[in-house]
Amino acid sequence: MARTIPIRPQHAPARQPAEPRGAPPWRLHWLFAAPHRLAFAAAALVLATSAAWWALAMLARWAGWAWPWNLAPAHAHGLLMGFGFVPLFFAGFLFTAGPKWLGVPPVAASALWGPVCAMLSGWGVFALGVHAPVAGPAPLLAALGLAAVAGGWSALVGRFARLVRASRVADRLHARCIAAAAALGALLLWAAAGAVLTGHVAALRPLVLVGVWGFVGVVYVTVAHRMIPFFTAAALPALDAWRPQWLLVVFVASMLAQAAFAALEALAWPLPAWAWGAMAALEAPLALLLLALAVRWGLVQSLRHRLLAMLHLGFVWLGVALALSALSHALLAATGGSLSLGLAPLHAYTMGFLGSILVAMVTRVSCGHSGRALVADDLVWGAFLVLQAAVVLRVAGALWLAAAAPLTAAAAVVWAVVMVGWAWRYGRWYGQPRVDGRPG
């Protein structure tokens, strides 16, 4: 029998000014005060530039302007959005929270400097290779850039794996899941570099899809399983931090199943109707489970706490994405592969779930480790709501093919405005001392 959890009236926390008067200037040396400062600053730079780049690309395509591309725009977009800024944000989180989870000494930010620089410069070289006026199906610059990113991420994964091995705490399940997914991400990046170098660019789409589900998705659901109930119970003591281990197994298994099936679809292998039907039969109850779990974890109660609401609403997008995917696969099964929802489920997942949770988690870490209150002020809350509008626009563009070009361009522009503004706001914090005077 389900247990009724009493909910005590909660008052929204008092807001404080996000930017104190007379804030000190941005200084590079403050990036080395904590691992999250260095990694988040690099991630914010990649996020802002890639968002602006894709918005310009979509506007150019809609307006009919020609851009030089040495790699198909969809491939370049998938690589940058799937592997660009997200692993750098992962690094900041893992080397800030990871040592605490594992009961090992903290990691100095200076230890991450080399790998972070390799990844940051690698994406710059990759962008040059994509757009440089060089003919050929396998631009060397793009491949070299991806190899630099793969090398930097591999070094970070190795360091985190050593932390996991050195730990003596009893519960290392979450850290081990993350380490395994991160290692998969490194292998996929090396494979992508090899595919670009050798001209086997048809392999890039399945590699990216395995990455966004099997690498990024596994890390996200593992962190969500550990942190969303914990954060909610801390802010709303009447709710318990319910997170059984079987739920984590379901989370990870579902992400891996999505990765495998998405790769098969991307390879354009002929799939029988029963395969699409079986996938729909798996996704539909899973979507219901996730939406019910969002309620169980305190979705309704969290709405009066903006920062919590951002986490919970982001999690809801995962259930919505799987529901859309179930409907899409059911349509494919019923029509013999001629009718689907296109890219709508994928963008509900990537922009809705991954994007919203990213904004919520990084905002929380940035506030807490800068000495500010754990609140989402009007600026952040407004940006989050506009981000939801961008997701709706992109999903609508995938469903309404007659208006796909303008809706997709509008979604890209709105995404860019939100992400550039958000990255600029928090990027300034990483180069400034804490507002409470404590060490970084």
Side-chain angles (χ1 to χ4, degrees):
M1 182 183 298
R3 180 168 60 91
T4 301
I5 302 175
I7 303 300
R8 297 198 303 268
Q10 298 288 328
H11 299 285
R15 298 175 187 160
Q16 71 173 32
E19 300 293 343
R21 294 181 180 179
W26 194 95
R27 292 289 183 264
L28 181 64
H29 69 84
W30 279 110
L31 298 184
F32 295 91
H36 80 279
R37 287 174 174 258
L38 177 64
F40 281 8
L45 179 59
V46 176
L47 171 59
T49 53
S50 60
W53 161 78
W54 189 244
L56 290 173
M58 290 297 95
L59 288 172
R61 185 175 73 174
W62 181 40
W65 302 332
W67 269 31
W69 293 91
N70 295 316
L71 198 62
H75 292 152
H77 169 69
L79 289 167
L80 255 174
M81 297 301 178
F83 295 104
F85 49 88
V86 175
L88 286 165
F89 279 120
F90 284 172
F93 182 83
L94 292 179
F95 291 104
T96 298
K100 299 175 184 177
W101 290 4
L102 298 168
V104 296
V107 176
S110 58
L112 311 183
W113 173 246
V116 167
C117 280
M119 296 176 71
L120 194 59
S121 59
W123 286 119
V125 174
F126 171 79
L128 288 176
V130 168
H131 293 293
V134 178
L140 179 60
L141 279 177
L144 289 175
L146 285 174
V149 175
W153 180 242
S154 298
L156 292 173
V157 172
R159 180 171 286 275
F160 183 70
R162 290 193 292 274
L163 295 182
V164 177
R165 286 198 302 268
S167 174
R168 294 296 176 264
V169 300
D171 182 9
R172 285 175 284 172
L173 179 61
H174 293 86
R176 285 171 171 162
C177 288
I178 291 171
L184 172 63
L187 292 174
L188 293 169
L189 277 166
W190 284 114
V196 173
L197 181 63
T198 58
H200 291 86
V201 292
L204 291 177
R205 179 167 171 77
L207 288 173
V208 168
L209 289 173
V210 172
V212 298
W213 289 103
F215 162 39
V216 177
V218 168
V219 173
Y220 263 73
V221 296
T222 302
V223 172
H225 178 267
R226 183 178 179 111
M227 303 310 296
I228 292 180
F230 174 77
F231 288 154
T232 305
L236 302 170
L239 294 175
D240 62 334
W242 184 78
R243 54 180 189 201
Q245 285 194 357
W246 65 262
L247 192 59
L248 177 60
V249 174
V250 171
F251 280 1
V252 173
S254 65
M255 292 296 105
L256 295 178
Q258 289 291 332
F261 201 80
L264 290 177
E265 290 182 306
L267 289 169
W269 288 3
L271 293 172
W274 66 261
W276 284 313
M279 200 63 189
L282 175 67
E283 291 167 328
L286 184 59
L288 291 175
L289 170 65
L290 290 169
L291 294 173
L293 180 61
V295 176
R296 174 65 178 81
W297 275 353
L299 169 64
V300 176
Q301 296 88 340
S302 75
L303 295 178
R304 67 189 70 184
H305 296 259
R306 289 174 170 180
L307 200 54
L308 269 183
M310 290 162 64
L311 278 173
H312 284 268
L313 292 172
F315 187 76
V316 166
W317 272 114
L318 180 57
V320 172
L322 289 177
L324 290 173
S325 188
L327 177 57
S328 185
H329 285 133
L331 288 171
L332 285 167
T335 62
S338 62
L339 183 63
S340 74
L341 300 186
L343 294 175
L346 180 63
H347 284 92
Y349 167 71
T350 53
M351 292 179 68
F353 171 59
L354 300 182
S356 298
I357 293 289
L358 175 70
V359 169
M361 288 293 288
V362 174
T363 297
R364 184 182 182 94
V365 173
S366 301
C367 288
H369 286 273
S370 65
R372 293 169 170 85
L374 293 176
V375 297
D377 60 15
D378 292 341
L379 180 63
V380 175
W381 181 244
F384 181 80
L385 294 179
V386 175
L387 171 61
Q388 308 312 298
V391 183
V392 172
L393 284 171
R394 185 60 188 91
V395 171
L399 296 175
W400 187 13
L401 296 182
L407 286 173
T408 301
V413 170
V414 175
W415 169 273
V417 169
V418 171
M419 292 306 179
V420 169
W422 179 77
W424 174 261
R425 200 262 184 104
Y426 291 103
R428 296 207 317 273
W429 290 10
Y430 308 138
Q432 296 171 341
R434 290 174 59 111
V435 297
D436 58 6
R438 293 174 54 192

